[in-house]
Amino acid sequence: MASKKLRVGVIGVGGIAVACHLPYWQELENEGRVELVGVCDLIKSRVAVGQERFGARKGYTDYKKMLREDQYDIIDICTHNRWHCPMTVDALKAGAHVLVEKPMAMNAKESQAMIQAAHKSRKKLMVAQHMRFEAPHEKLKDVVERGTLGQIYTASAVWLRRRGIPGWGKFHIRKESLGGPLIDIGVHMMDLCMWLMGFPKPKAVMGKVYRMFGDRKDLVNGSWGEPYPPKEFDVEDYAIALVRCENDITMRVEASWAANIPEERNEVSILGDKAGLSTNPLGVYGYEKNALTSTRFDWLPTLEGHRGEIRHFTECIEKNLPVRVKPEESLQIQKIIDAIYESSRKNKEILIK
Ligand SMILES: NC(=O)c1ccc[n+]([C@@H]2O[C@H](COP(=O)([O-])OP(=O)(O)OC[C@H]3O[C@@H](n4cnc5c(N)ncnc54)[C@H](O)[C@@H]3O)[C@@H](O)[C@H]2O)c1
């Protein structure tokens, strides 16, 4: 247990902060490990939620003012993606460790600037890839590290929604968010898949993104939350890609907010010459003495990953430990994302440096 309470500030008090960040900061505050000093949002009623429901001492609509007025140990950034880089750099410069929501930034150049700022300030930076903190996925990581799969040669990172275009926030606007399902839900699967494989270096990408539904007026039950004006929708609603990595490893990526499929599908699978794994159905699939084997981990609790992520980040600061989601790994994911969009625009394979 740390002797000093860590002083926490949260920027952006929207959907993810209220559902999955602030409750866990509050839990740590109740344990005496942190103090929720400030919250910030452009919308005053949301600042009030941060103060009244979660007990933040101070509320702001200007994050720079918030960073000026108090010294923070942790800044947790839960705003739209276009703010991730500038807010991270400012918070690091102000001497705080930074937890920032996914995707890391709007492009690899911004991600690099964030990493540089972290090195310069000697503070920790972690992207909130909460799926790495879910017990079933931790179990699969252990399986891979024991060498159970043998030689890994290919993998698949898929999250397909039949209908589910976010109708809140600014998910559908490119200049605010960068992209659609690829950077919203695909990024979780890519990160999980690459982490489980031990992050083989990506070398090249062939990708294509499509906008088939999001800007249509006739889309029935298409969006979640408030309906947005269809003409504002300028991101993709389906993405597909093949990523070639070192050691001849390939990763297939597929993500949709809307697609004419029978039902939602969400799966990372990895194939090796001794066994394969899948997150759904969760288990390891191999063979032994001329028989096929299936080892299932259905008994594992599906704990909220954000809880584990926030507790992990806090512990890393209390004990000066390395963070699980290394920013250099998130940069690799960002490079893949950039290359998928570039490949789609140029209709050709893009090499990753
Ligand atoms: N890890 C996950 O599972 C997960 C799930 C949903 C969203 N997210 C990520 O969380 C982030 C926010 O998503 P959301 O669904 O909460 O969106 P949201 O629109 O509900 O919330 C974003 C909040 O940020 C505030 N904001 C925007 N610009 C600001 C600024 N300059 N200063 C202060 N506040 C500002 C907005 O007013 C809003 O309240 C996104 O990056 C998204 O990708 C992650």
Side-chain angles (χ1 to χ4, degrees):
M1 173 76 59
S3 51
K4 165 181 166 285
K5 282 187 194 177
L6 296 171
R7 295 163 62 80
V8 176
V10 177
I11 312 181
V13 189
I16 199 67
V18 169
C20 302
H21 287 241
L22 285 160
Y24 303 123
W25 289 123
Q26 200 174 32
E27 192 178 279
L28 287 170
E29 178 149 39
N30 292 339
E31 292 173 21
R33 290 168 67 184
V34 308
E35 186 184 356
L36 185 59
V37 176
V39 288
C40 173
D41 200 289
L42 295 176
I43 302 169
K44 280 191 178 149
S45 58
R46 297 191 175 183
V47 177
V49 168
Q51 292 193 267
E52 285 157 26
R53 198 186 316 167
F54 296 101
R57 315 288 177 276
K58 298 183 179 182
Y60 299 85
T61 51
D62 175 353
Y63 81 93
K64 291 192 178 180
K65 185 166 183 232
M66 172 172 143
L67 293 176
R68 266 197 315 271
E69 276 193 11
D70 282 283
Q71 181 63 52
Y72 288 89
D73 297 300
I74 297 175
I75 289 291
D76 179 10
I77 299 171
C78 299
T79 52
H80 310 132
N81 308 337
R82 92 168 155 102
W83 289 102
H84 290 183
C85 173
M87 286 176 174
T88 296
V89 171
D90 287 342
L92 288 165
K93 276 189 188 156
H97 302 279
V98 173
L99 178 67
V100 58
E101 261 301 345
K102 47 54 58 174
M104 187 174 195
M106 298 292 274
N107 52 51
K109 202 170 157 209
E110 284 192 354
S111 303
Q112 267 152 345
M114 292 157 79
I115 293 174
Q116 257 175 18
H119 285 162
K120 210 166 165 194
S121 68
R122 304 170 73 89
K123 297 291 169 190
K124 297 185 195 299
L125 168 62
M126 188 172 101
V127 179
Q129 296 294 169
H130 69 278
M131 289 184 130
R132 294 200 200 184
F133 298 87
E134 289 169 356
H137 302 151
E138 289 175 329
K139 177 74 188 170
L140 291 179
K141 180 72 177 160
D142 184 51
V143 164
V144 176
E145 284 183 347
R146 283 167 193 270
T148 311
L149 303 192
Q151 188 187 335
I152 291 172
Y153 56 96
T154 194
S156 162
V158 173
W159 192 335
L160 295 172
R161 282 191 196 142
R162 180 171 177 172
R163 292 289 185 273
I165 301 178
W168 70 93
K170 311 230 164 140
F171 284 87
H172 62 290
I173 302 172
R174 182 192 302 275
K175 70 176 179 3
E176 298 284 346
S177 295
L178 164 65
L182 178 66
I183 58 87
D184 179 28
I185 50 182
V187 71
H188 284 301
M189 309 316 274
M190 284 191 277
D191 180 79
L192 184 59
C193 188
M194 289 292 277
W195 175 61
L196 288 172
M197 290 198 288
F199 265 90
K201 197 172 164 1
K203 298 277 200 192
V205 167
M206 177 73 90
K208 194 77 201 163
V209 302
Y210 299 82
R211 187 182 315 136
M212 306 305 290
F213 297 95
D215 55 358
R216 275 166 44 178
K217 291 195 192 107
D218 64 333
L219 187 65
V220 181
N221 295 330
S223 61
W224 287 350
E226 294 298 308
Y228 53 82
K231 64 176 181 330
E232 273 185 12
F233 190 101
D234 64 352
V235 294
E236 84 282 356
D237 46 42
Y238 175 85
I240 186 161
L242 187 72
V243 183
R244 276 200 294 117
C245 301
E246 65 184 351
N247 301 327
D248 281 340
I249 294 171
T250 48
M251 174 172 71
R252 193 171 70 83
V253 179
E254 217 186 338
S256 75
W257 279 340
N260 289 326
I261 50 174
E263 57 187 4
E264 174 156 344
R265 263 185 62 213
N266 171 324
E267 184 191 11
V268 163
S269 66
I270 300 175
L271 302 187
D273 62 350
K274 288 193 185 143
L277 68 72
S278 170
T279 58
N280 191 10
L282 180 69
V284 176
Y285 305 93
Y287 60 91
E288 212 172 81
K289 294 184 186 138
N290 293 326
L292 296 179
T293 59
S294 302
T295 310
R296 301 286 296 271
F297 306 118
D298 301 335
W299 45 271
L300 282 169
T302 33
L303 284 180
E304 230 288 48
H306 289 97
R307 181 172 187 267
E309 151 203 293
I310 283 171
R311 295 181 83 82
H312 165 82
F313 191 65
T314 303
E315 193 184 354
C316 287
I317 294 162
E318 288 169 343
K319 299 184 180 164
N320 194 21
L321 299 171
V323 293
R324 183 178 295 179
V325 186
K326 296 183 179 45
E328 293 76 12
E329 294 170 348
S330 300
L331 170 63
Q332 293 296 329
I333 299 293
Q334 189 85 50
K335 284 185 178 177
I336 293 173
I337 291 169
D338 288 2
I340 292 174
Y341 287 128
E342 188 183 346
S343 171
S344 185
R345 267 196 320 275
K346 296 184 175 166
N347 276 320
K348 64 174 197 179
E349 188 180 71
I350 302 298
L351 299 182
I352 298 182
K353 288 178 205 108

